[in-house]
Amino acid sequence: MGYRRNGEFFSMTTAPEGGNDVTPLPSQQLMLECLPFSRILERCLTRHLEIKCCELNGEVADIFRDKMNYTEHVAALRMFVLMEQQDVFNVFSEKIVTHMQENPVAWADSKVINTFHQSAVQGVFENNLLPSSQRQIGGRLCVRADFDLLDSRTSGARIDIATMKCMYFAFSVQPPLRVLFSTSIMQKYSRLGVLLVQVKAVEGPGQDAEEFM
């Protein structure tokens, strides 16, 4: 009796007795077909690995959510970059517009712009409008100006809101959270946040549309 592999199946056959070379009759041949090898792997190995991977994924997600405050970081981006916190949105936009009116050419000062944003964020905390756990996370956000994107054609007393696209938001987070808030992700947040500030600058009360280019 011997074993041979037939495709994906294992078969068991009987060998001729006494060294007889006569081909055995079909009735003398026994074949036992087992489960396909791929199904054996699935039942014995792959399925268990899949369950274990799901458990590990859940544990990793719990670490990011509970110990590294991932959801609070996302909430900070929504409040202070996507401007869901209206007080921050209003104060920051008004200060930016006023600064651009006073300095239409040399307004893109990263230090000054970031001071406007941080003062708006901290003002919300001082008024106890947000939980204290957001103070530290909100302080990690900063606004900067990329001079490579700054259009130098602005002149006179008019404000060119298109030049606001030189602004961008940066988020100082520690690894491994940095993987989830990569440069490409922050670029998307920045584009949306700056667009909202541009819209607010035009729609703000008391703003003369002729002041904007």
Side-chain angles (χ1 to χ4, degrees):
M1 179 179 295
Y3 292 91
R4 66 184 178 85
R5 184 166 180 172
N6 181 16
E8 283 193 342
F9 296 87
F10 289 100
S11 303
M12 182 177 67
T13 60
T14 57
E17 297 181 358
N20 190 354
D21 294 335
V22 178
T23 302
L25 297 174
S27 59
Q28 295 175 324
Q29 184 177 15
L30 298 177
M31 178 177 291
L32 178 63
E33 293 186 349
C34 300
L35 289 173
F37 187 65
S38 60
R39 192 175 301 175
I40 295 175
L41 282 179
E42 179 183 356
R43 290 188 175 183
C44 299
L45 180 62
T46 308
R47 187 172 300 175
H48 297 288
L49 288 176
E50 182 179 357
I51 295 173
K52 189 62 178 178
C53 287
C54 290
E55 294 175 354
L56 290 175
N57 287 338
E59 293 175 2
V60 171
D62 290 340
I63 292 174
F64 275 97
R65 182 177 59 251
D66 300 331
K67 295 185 177 181
M68 298 184 179
N69 299 321
Y70 168 73
T71 54
E72 293 187 7
H73 283 74
V74 174
L77 288 176
R78 294 177 62 180
M79 286 188 292
F80 307 136
V81 178
L82 300 185
M83 305 302 176
E84 288 187 359
Q85 223 305 318
Q86 288 297 309
D87 290 334
V88 173
F89 188 23
N90 294 334
V91 172
F92 179 60
S93 299
E94 290 174 4
K95 288 186 175 182
I96 284 291
V97 171
T98 301
H99 180 59
M100 293 181 72
Q101 290 172 337
E102 296 174 351
N103 304 277
V105 178
W107 68 271
D109 186 325
S110 294
K111 184 177 180 180
V112 174
I113 295 173
N114 189 58
T115 300
F116 292 158
H117 185 260
Q118 280 299 311
S119 64
V121 172
Q122 296 304 320
V124 173
F125 291 130
E126 292 173 1
N127 294 330
N128 296 320
L129 298 178
L130 293 174
S132 58
S133 60
Q134 289 291 337
R135 179 185 296 271
Q136 183 179 5
I137 298 176
R140 296 175 184 170
L141 278 166
C142 63
V143 188
R144 297 172 181 168
D146 185 352
F147 290 99
D148 292 335
L149 299 177
L150 185 61
D151 192 343
S152 60
R153 293 175 299 176
T154 302
S155 61
R158 287 190 173 185
I159 300 173
D160 185 0
I161 62 171
T163 60
M164 287 184 178
K165 68 181 180 181
C166 73
M167 295 191 304
Y168 67 95
F169 291 85
F171 204 7
S172 177
V173 293
Q174 299 297 322
L177 274 179
R178 190 177 301 169
V179 176
L180 303 179
F181 299 102
S182 62
T183 302
S184 60
I185 291 176
M186 288 307 303
Q187 286 175 346
K188 295 176 182 178
Y189 272 100
S190 291
R191 285 196 293 267
L192 289 173
V194 172
L195 176 61
L196 291 172
V197 175
Q198 289 175 312
V199 173
K200 185 69 173 180
V202 176
E203 294 182 346
Q207 300 296 339
D208 187 353
E210 294 183 354
E211 294 181 357
F212 300 93
M213 296 177 63

